[in-house]
Amino acid sequence: MHDRSRHDRTHQISVIQVYCPAMHDAQDILRTVFGYDNFRPPQDEIINTLIAGDDALVLMPTGGGKSLCYQIPSLVRPGCGVVISPLIALMQDQVNAMRLLGVKASYLNSTLSAQDALEVEEALLAGKLDLLYVAPERLVQERTLALLQRAPLALFAIDEAHCVSQWGHDFRADYLKLSVLQERFPEIPRVALTATADVRTRADIVSRLELDGARQFIAGFDRPNIRYRLALKHSPKQQLLRFLRDEHPMDAGIVYCLSRRKTEDTAAWLQQEGYQALPYHAGLDAGTRAQHQRRFLREEGVIMVATIAFGMGIDKPDVRFVVHLDMPKTVESYYQETGRAGRDGEPADAWLLYGLQDVIKLRGMMAQSQGSEEHKRAEQQRLNAMLGLCEITTCRRQALLNYFGESLPEPCGNCDTCLEPVDTWDATEAARMALSAVYRTGQRFGVNHLIDLLRGAETAKIFQFSHQTLPTYGIGQALDAGQWRSVFRQLVARAYLSVDLERYGALRLEQKCRPLLRGEEIIALRRDQKVKSKTAKKTRANEALSADIDPVLWEALRDKRRQLAETQGVPPYVIFHDKTLREMCLHRPRTQVEFSRLPGVGESKLEKYAEAFLTVIGSI
Ligand code: ADP
Ligand code: ZN
């Protein structure tokens, strides 16, 4: 079964799906070990491929369920599955979670003592391990390779495989050396997994890891349980507070900021407001970072206020919201960051605030960017896509998926523009006034002065430059300052105007303006909503609790889970996901058999926890 030739693979796989006893094993393991009834396609196909001894490349969104794709074949095939992961800090948690499921898992990395490492190595050689997590730098050492060559191996799983690509932002030099696996272990199937969709990254993975013969599995990128909202920023702190109070009073989440300073300020302020908020950025020392990450994973309801330094590999399933207080530079980063919400498939929020200043700052930074013309053009396109996403008046999810080359035939019904449709207005006249104000003042002024000019304000600066004499002076009194800001924001976002940060954010006309100025083009702009909708409560994503769940039982179950997690030194979600607790509330199982039917309850957890939770349910 291991050395099946490549050309008849397709045929073999279809046969396996129907008859192969190994697939029954896989289905069985899914149920008895993990407590789930069905595979999420294409998990089953990936698992088949690996069980058959073939290689695979897996592209799935965060939360799609990549881990099962190598965990189950590692259990079905003889020998140990070796998982290569750059995230040393998370290995212990991953191993603990596996052990609670009754899987014999261990890890090898620099945090182990020599003695402990030796014990792991002995267990491996004796065939006593199902899964072994190894850091890439450890794996490529000759000593480790020699060890693995003497051990019975089921497969190699290369997690976060995009780290092999210099094109991406998580490049790790050690990943380049992983091509050694193909040379030294040609018989052992390999699977590379990533959530990064980029075509170029994918090509890099295939060539650098020598995965030319691998079957590629590219799962859909939609995350229907995430509600996308991109709102206008006016008073960000108050907006954030209202968001947390109305929608996520007890929940864990991530708040992304652009600067280190801002993460600290925001975390401190949230603490004052009574939230468990912690900062995280690359400038904090390693100890503090590890401690904050640990608390985020272990405790419930912690809010991480972080720069983009935080997040890769954080597979906490119950992150209920991801907030962006500043706009990310690309749709790729936005999607990856928001993808950290709701990995458990339960409702979650992605909420971004953006405003004129964000648009000006990012446009200005682009203008200053170094590098080849090609590089700049690519950067520019990416930024345009991000700004475009903010300003569109149609379904956000359709736009997002479209960006990744997928299509969603109908509007999603679970994004802000679907839930509260946005008006547009014919802004041709206003846009022409704005552009001509830029032109008449010599393309040397920032937006505030231009608005003063249009509104006929009597400021010192107006008189200093004799701008009261210009024909555009005071022609824009029909719109208030806020409306003008909206016009300028959208003109900059759509690249009618560029920004010169070296000259204090002076606005300049772009080629694209000409048809508009000549009256050959009309332009429709988004009508910004002025008043905050009072319907937040009604439209909140996470309302399952209030609807049909007894809060007393819910809290009691959470308490029990917290207790168990503490005594066992694991995060609460490793005991049971929220979803399992919710099902307990809904179905109130009374017996072990009923309990075993809950999602996420396999044999090991049934034995370990059924009694404790049944007692709680029985007592309320
Ligand atoms: P990824 O690594 O792709 O981000 P994970 O492997 O962490 O995702 O899986 C995300 C969540 O989905 C986990 O909590 C996992 O237990 C759950 N999950 C995975 N596969 C299934 C399945 N077939 N049925 C139900 N839940 C699943
Ligand atoms: Zn939508």
Side-chain angles (χ1 to χ4, degrees):
M1 193 154 155
H2 296 193
D3 44 17
R4 179 165 287 137
S5 65
R6 296 216 182 271
H7 64 267
D8 63 349
R9 194 176 5 163
T10 332
H11 173 65
Q12 296 287 6
I13 282 165
S14 57
V15 173
I16 287 165
Q17 276 174 343
V18 189
Y19 303 113
C20 179
M23 203 53 212
H24 290 293
D25 294 352
Q27 185 73 46
D28 215 40
I29 289 172
L30 180 71
R31 212 163 27 81
T32 56
V33 177
F34 294 89
Y36 298 134
D37 286 332
N38 300 302
F39 286 112
R40 294 178 186 158
Q43 281 176 330
D44 43 356
E45 273 193 85
I46 298 165
I47 290 170
N48 280 339
T49 304
L50 291 168
I51 291 177
D54 292 319
D55 299 335
L57 170 65
V58 174
L59 239 110
M60 251 189 217
T62 311
K66 286 187 281 301
S67 331
L68 281 187
C69 298
Y70 57 80
Q71 286 161 348
I72 290 186
S74 298
L75 293 172
V76 173
R77 283 174 65 91
C80 175
V82 178
V83 186
I84 299 145
S85 159
L87 305 154
I88 294 184
L90 302 176
M91 281 185 187
Q92 177 81 61
D93 280 350
Q94 287 171 320
V95 164
N96 287 346
M98 283 294 105
R99 287 186 181 161
L100 283 188
L101 295 172
V103 175
K104 291 170 274 170
S106 278
Y107 64 91
L108 274 181
N109 64 34
S110 51
T111 65
L112 282 188
S113 69
Q115 180 58 35
D116 287 345
L118 209 61
E119 276 170 27
V120 173
E121 291 175 5
E122 275 163 13
L124 172 70
L125 290 174
K128 289 187 185 153
L129 286 184
D130 300 317
L131 271 180
L132 177 66
Y133 291 83
V134 189
E137 58 276 14
R138 181 88 175 208
L139 181 101
V140 298
Q141 289 169 9
E142 183 48 42
R143 193 175 175 283
T144 316
L145 292 169
L147 169 79
L148 292 175
Q149 260 169 332
R150 285 184 288 136
L153 297 184
L155 58 82
F156 286 105
I158 303 157
D159 209 1
E160 313 287 352
H162 59 279
C163 292
V164 79
S165 172
Q166 264 143 329
W167 168 247
H169 42 80
D170 297 320
F171 175 64
R172 313 251 168 156
D174 283 311
Y175 263 66
L176 287 178
K177 301 184 196 145
L178 292 179
S179 59
V180 71
L181 295 178
Q182 166 66 2
E183 291 144 30
R184 299 279 287 264
F185 304 89
E187 304 291 308
I188 311 289
R190 291 171 301 145
V191 54
L193 309 105
T194 177
T196 304
D198 210 281
V199 179
R200 200 158 149 185
T201 309
R202 200 190 310 166
D204 272 357
I205 295 174
V206 170
S207 74
R208 303 243 161 99
L209 296 178
E210 298 183 22
L211 280 169
D212 311 276
R215 275 192 70 184
Q216 299 200 4
F217 297 91
I218 294 152
F221 266 73
D222 191 13
R223 298 286 309 282
N225 62 316
I226 299 182
R227 173 169 296 180
Y228 296 95
R229 286 184 288 168
L230 294 83
L232 264 197
K233 191 189 279 189
H234 39 86
S235 45
K237 281 187 170 170
Q238 291 314 313
Q239 286 175 284
L240 175 60
L241 202 56
R242 192 175 319 124
F243 172 78
L244 294 175
R245 286 199 179 135
D246 288 354
E247 305 186 40
H248 295 283
M250 312 280 277
D251 293 334
I254 307 174
V255 176
Y256 280 111
C257 307
L258 222 48
S259 74
R260 297 174 178 187
R261 173 78 196 278
K262 189 163 166 187
T263 64
E264 295 195 10
D265 290 352
T266 309
W269 172 76
L270 283 175
Q271 282 166 13
Q272 277 172 23
E273 296 291 333
Y275 291 91
Q276 297 188 69
L278 300 170
Y280 191 104
H281 58 74
L284 293 172
D285 64 86
T288 310
R289 284 208 310 268
Q291 194 212 346
H292 288 185
Q293 174 168 313
R294 198 181 156 82
R295 286 192 54 194
F296 181 69
L297 295 176
R298 295 283 161 112
E299 295 172 19
E300 291 188 83
V302 173
I303 299 172
M304 196 68 115
V305 188
T307 62
I308 51 168
F310 180 74
M312 189 182 45
I314 299 292
D315 54 2
K316 182 176 167 63
D318 55 353
V319 175
R320 292 270 67 86
F321 61 87
V322 170
V323 169
H324 282 90
L325 288 184
D326 297 304
M327 204 192 312
K329 287 193 197 99
T330 67
V331 178
E332 281 90 347
S333 351
Y334 173 70
Y335 205 60
Q336 196 162 44
E337 284 150 23
T338 53
R340 291 171 186 143
R343 291 169 79 131
D344 53 10
E346 300 285 293
D349 275 302
W351 189 65
L352 173 143
L353 288 181
Y354 74 101
L356 177 61
Q357 283 316 315
D358 294 276
V359 178
I360 286 184
K361 193 158 145 196
L362 287 179
R363 268 266 178 264
M365 275 161 52
M366 281 299 141
Q368 286 175 335
S369 124
Q370 307 291 323
S372 68
E373 279 308 309
E374 188 202 349
H375 176 78
K376 277 194 211 161
R377 230 186 343 267
E379 243 185 348
Q380 200 73 47
Q381 277 169 6
R382 289 177 172 203
L383 177 64
N384 285 342
M386 186 64 222
L387 295 173
L389 179 69
C390 292
E391 302 289 0
I392 54 164
T393 51
T394 51
C395 173
R396 308 275 194 197
R397 191 181 313 271
Q398 282 182 318
L400 275 167
L401 291 175
N402 190 31
Y403 183 78
F404 293 113
E406 268 180 47
S407 67
L408 187 70
E410 297 292 322
C412 76
N414 194 27
C415 73
D416 53 356
T417 42
C418 282
L419 292 163
E420 295 177 63
V422 195
D423 267 355
T424 56
W425 58 294
D426 180 349
T428 312
E429 224 14 72
R432 290 175 66 184
M433 287 181 194
L435 297 176
S436 101
V438 173
Y439 179 70
R440 298 275 181 185
T441 50
Q443 311 187 60
R444 293 186 295 132
F445 293 87
V447 75
N448 290 329
H449 183 69
L450 293 166
I451 293 175
D452 283 344
L453 174 74
L454 286 161
R455 302 217 357 100
E458 299 179 349
T459 68
K461 200 164 171 182
I462 291 282
F463 296 119
Q464 182 191 343
F465 293 97
S466 302
H467 281 168
Q468 75 281 13
T469 63
L470 294 176
T472 31
Y473 183 72
I475 58 169
Q477 301 198 9
L479 301 187
D480 66 25
Q483 288 165 320
W484 278 118
R485 291 176 76 80
S486 169
V487 170
F488 277 107
R489 187 193 79 234
Q490 297 185 63
L491 290 174
V492 176
R494 294 199 197 179
Y496 286 89
L497 293 170
S498 59
V499 180
D500 186 349
L501 281 188
E502 274 164 29
R503 300 184 79 179
Y504 311 103
L507 297 184
R508 295 225 185 99
L509 300 181
E510 287 293 307
Q511 285 295 335
K512 203 178 163 185
C513 291
R514 293 200 171 187
L516 193 56
L517 281 171
R518 284 201 298 254
E520 294 163 7
E521 186 186 331
I522 55 167
I523 182 171
L525 294 182
R526 225 184 133 84
R527 194 189 298 283
D528 292 340
Q529 263 142 349
K530 263 201 198 147
V531 212
K532 267 314 306 164
S533 96
K534 294 254 189 308
T535 53
K537 277 255 155 55
K538 257 189 267 161
T539 58
R540 59 184 275 191
N542 190 10
E543 59 193 349
L545 269 196
S546 47
D548 37 16
I549 278 180
D550 172 2
V552 180
L553 178 56
W554 171 253
E555 281 310 322
L557 292 171
R558 276 174 40 120
D559 267 351
K560 177 50 73 187
R561 177 173 70 174
R562 199 173 303 130
Q563 268 170 28
L564 290 167
E566 263 165 36
T567 42
Q568 308 192 8
V570 296
Y573 58 78
V574 169
I575 308 278
F576 284 129
H577 282 183
D578 285 357
K579 181 170 171 65
T580 308
L581 296 196
R582 186 164 6 262
E583 296 285 321
M584 281 185 214
C585 289
L586 291 175
H587 299 294
R588 292 186 172 255
R590 295 277 158 189
T591 63
Q592 297 260 341
V593 174
E594 284 171 10
F595 198 87
S596 74
R597 292 196 193 115
L598 297 169
V601 180
E603 281 171 0
S604 168
K605 288 193 174 173
L606 181 68
E607 191 185 314
K608 287 196 180 76
Y609 306 127
E611 210 178 297
F613 285 94
L614 285 171
T615 310
V616 174
I617 297 167
S619 70
I620 283 169

